[in-house]
Amino acid sequence: MRRSSVDARALEAGIARLPDLGLDELRQRWKALYGRPAPKFFRRKLLVRAVAYQMQVNAFGGLSEVTKRRLREIAAAARDGTFDAAAIEPRIKPGTKLIRTWKKSTYEVMVLQDGFAWNGDRYSSLSTIAKTITGTNWNGWRFFGIKRPAAKNGTDIRGRFKRPKPGRDGKVVWPVSQHAARRTRRCRDGFDG
């Protein structure tokens, strides 16, 4: 226990000294921590933050694999043009009642337009309610058993088309809805409307 607090203090002191280092020293630290040279276009301030982060990861551990996978999914969606901030969290219709049994007690939470109601109080976060119930930090969505809906047939979780992957020629071909296909066939066959 004593050793970890000394390591934490030494780490904190090392991080506090980073802004005083020169650019060459920061690049050397980067190479030692990441195993490859720092990108040339990284500014000094970003190098300080990245080196500090990696020092903490080496000392205390980094992100969980689940978190890394989710961040990769968000980055891929942003890259493909299908990212929607509202799709990060599941949407629950206002008026829905969430019921959870915890240690032989049943808790009911009402979903509101702008948050949640429980025990006569309004909350903006399910996690706050879960923490109040359990006394420990919980992900509120997980505590109440809410899962993201799976994407279906080329659409995202909200029913919108996902950007298709480029073909071998690099071109993106968007799918055609059945209604649009019928309309195209009618026009091609000489029918109007």
Side-chain angles (χ1 to χ4, degrees):
M1 183 79 179
R2 184 103 174 120
R3 182 170 180 243
S4 64
S5 64
V6 171
D7 289 344
R9 276 191 240 133
L11 177 66
E12 192 174 326
I15 290 172
R17 285 191 300 270
L18 287 176
D20 300 331
L21 297 178
L23 191 58
D24 289 335
E25 291 171 298
L26 285 170
R27 290 186 182 282
Q28 289 171 1
R29 291 268 181 108
W30 174 288
K31 187 166 185 169
L33 290 167
Y34 287 94
R36 60 184 181 276
K40 293 193 185 292
F41 58 87
F42 275 17
R43 295 184 180 195
R44 199 172 173 290
K45 201 172 190 178
L46 180 59
L47 284 171
V48 168
R49 290 181 179 189
V51 168
Y53 172 78
Q54 195 60 35
M55 288 169 67
Q56 293 174 55
V57 166
N58 290 348
F60 304 117
L63 298 173
S64 69
E65 287 303 315
V66 172
T67 302
K68 288 179 188 176
R69 184 175 62 241
R70 182 68 184 126
L71 289 172
R72 282 193 295 271
E73 288 171 2
I74 292 169
R79 213 176 17 256
D80 295 342
T82 60
F83 177 75
D84 183 4
I88 293 175
E89 291 288 343
R91 292 182 48 93
I92 307 170
K93 290 183 182 178
T96 302
K97 189 182 288 187
L98 305 173
I99 301 172
R100 171 70 151 99
T101 302
W102 177 260
K103 293 192 176 180
K104 298 182 182 177
S105 295
T106 301
Y107 301 93
E108 294 182 6
V109 174
M110 180 65 69
V111 179
L112 306 173
Q113 187 70 34
D114 59 344
F116 306 93
W118 177 65
N119 277 354
D121 293 324
R122 295 175 75 104
Y123 296 86
S124 61
S125 164
L126 277 177
S127 298
T128 306
I129 298 171
K131 184 175 183 177
T132 305
I133 292 170
T134 64
T136 59
N137 289 330
W138 269 84
N139 177 311
W141 298 96
R142 187 165 288 162
F143 179 77
F144 285 96
I146 301 168
K147 296 183 180 177
R148 292 175 42 148
K152 298 176 189 166
N153 298 335
T155 61
D156 63 11
I157 61 173
R158 300 181 77 200
R160 294 190 220 147
F161 281 114
K162 285 194 286 186
R163 181 180 176 85
K165 295 196 183 302
R168 290 184 183 169
D169 59 356
K171 293 182 181 176
V172 175
V173 178
W174 287 89
V176 178
S177 69
Q178 291 179 356
H179 177 72
R182 273 195 304 271
R183 193 172 57 228
T184 303
R185 277 195 303 272
R186 282 188 211 150
C187 289
R188 189 181 55 224
D189 294 340
F191 298 108
D192 191 21

